[in-house]
Amino acid sequence: GQNIDQPTEMTATEGAIVQINCTYQTSGFNGLFWYQQHAGEAPTFLSYNVLDGLEEKGRFSSFLSRSKGYSYLLLKELQMKDSASYLCAVRDSNYQLIWGAGTKLIIKP
Amino acid sequence: GAVVSQHPSWVICKSGTSVKIECRSLDFQATTMFWYRQFPKQSLMLMATSNEGSKATYEQGVEKDKFLINHASLTLSTLTVTSAHPEDSSFYICSARDLTGGEADTQYFGPGTRLTVL
């Protein structure tokens, strides 16, 4: 079966750095996405990885290792507004998005 | 760019009534739109894939006669929840696939519709 694993919840301190991991087992791979979802709102697109390595976008970076079935989202200089759920999604060989359950990130002052 | 709107943003209805939710891609054409449902503190659940000009593809366990999907144009898909019951109360989110820009066929989400059935 297809499976995506992410931690359920993480806590970090304002101004610090946090890494949210995602491991996946899917039938084929056509890219990995990270989305941010604030409570009661729809997800917003953060990043996309299809090749191994690190993609940097301002305070957010995303890393992919296809051989390990592993990705992480790195958030730097954390701000209170970064408190949200972070969803990892993998596009399989049928171009379907397989969603992780999301990681709830709590930022403390 | 890549803006998706949904209407209404919230709706309260009586049990047994039908509710229509609209999803529009505002600045791009979307041959494919997706409808998701999300219960509190749970992950997104794909309900169906809506293809312009053809029948929607429903995920296993989703009743196609209860959740009617129409994708009549390249910018509009509608989801109608027929004979809604309290267990249908949920957050319904649509997304549209932008093939012409953005990053590699990314899905962009509408703001969601919160449905409460009394």
Side-chain angles (χ1 to χ4, degrees):
Chain A
Q2 310 208 85
N3 194 51
I4 297 186
D5 287 317
Q6 343 177 198
T8 304
E9 188 175 296
M10 298 181 71
T11 302
T13 305
E14 189 177 16
I17 299 173
V18 71
Q19 177 175 311
I20 303 174
N21 295 324
C22 170
T23 57
Y24 62 89
Q25 292 174 311
T26 57
S27 54
F29 178 84
N30 282 296
L32 184 144
F33 298 81
W34 283 97
Y35 285 84
Q36 179 191 60
Q37 186 178 25
H38 285 101
E41 299 180 12
T44 55
F45 170 75
L46 287 179
S47 69
Y48 169 76
N49 294 71
V50 67
L51 299 176
D52 291 349
L54 188 68
E55 295 281 342
E56 296 187 75
K57 271 189 178 182
R59 294 189 299 115
F60 293 3
S61 302
S62 57
F63 171 82
L64 174 68
S65 169
R66 288 171 295 170
S67 62
K68 295 181 179 179
Y70 167 70
S71 172
Y72 67 71
L73 180 68
L74 190 72
L75 292 77
K76 303 176 184 177
E77 300 169 17
L78 286 170
Q79 302 175 10
M80 297 304 293
K81 67 178 182 179
D82 297 330
S83 292
S85 287
Y86 291 85
L87 307 174
C88 173
V90 173
R91 190 161 59 198
D92 68 8
S93 56
N94 293 320
Y95 268 67
Q96 295 277 50
L97 269 187
I98 311 301
W99 292 89
T103 299
K104 183 179 180 181
L105 177 63
I106 299 169
I107 309 296
K108 294 185 175 180
Chain B
V3 178
V4 177
S5 71
Q6 249 180 275
H7 178 80
S9 55
W10 59 270
V11 58
I12 300 173
C13 68
K14 292 182 179 180
S15 186
T17 60
S18 294
V19 175
K20 180 187 279 189
I21 303 170
E22 292 186 351
C23 177
R24 294 180 186 271
S25 55
L26 297 185
D27 51 1
F28 66 100
Q29 293 183 331
T31 55
T32 305
M33 290 184 173
F34 303 88
W35 287 97
Y36 292 86
R37 181 166 53 182
Q38 188 175 35
F39 293 104
K41 299 184 179 181
Q42 294 187 24
S43 186
L44 294 169
M45 291 174 49
L46 179 65
M47 298 176 67
T49 301
S50 170
N51 298 298
E52 186 267 337
S54 64
K55 291 182 179 180
T57 304
Y58 290 81
E59 295 300 300
Q60 193 171 12
V62 178
E63 300 174 59
K64 62 180 181 181
D65 294 329
K66 180 172 180 64
F67 299 99
L68 301 178
I69 291 172
N70 185 283
H71 193 158
S73 77
L74 288 172
T75 59
L76 173 65
S77 176
T78 60
L79 169 68
T80 301
V81 183
T82 61
S83 187
H85 289 95
E87 57 266 30
D88 298 323
S89 298
S90 187
F91 191 44
Y92 291 85
I93 312 171
C94 75
S95 70
R97 181 184 279 168
D98 181 4
L99 295 174
T100 61
E103 294 196 48
D105 193 17
T106 300
Q107 286 187 32
Y108 294 93
F109 287 85
T113 298
R114 189 162 301 284
L115 170 64
T116 302
V117 184
L118 302 177

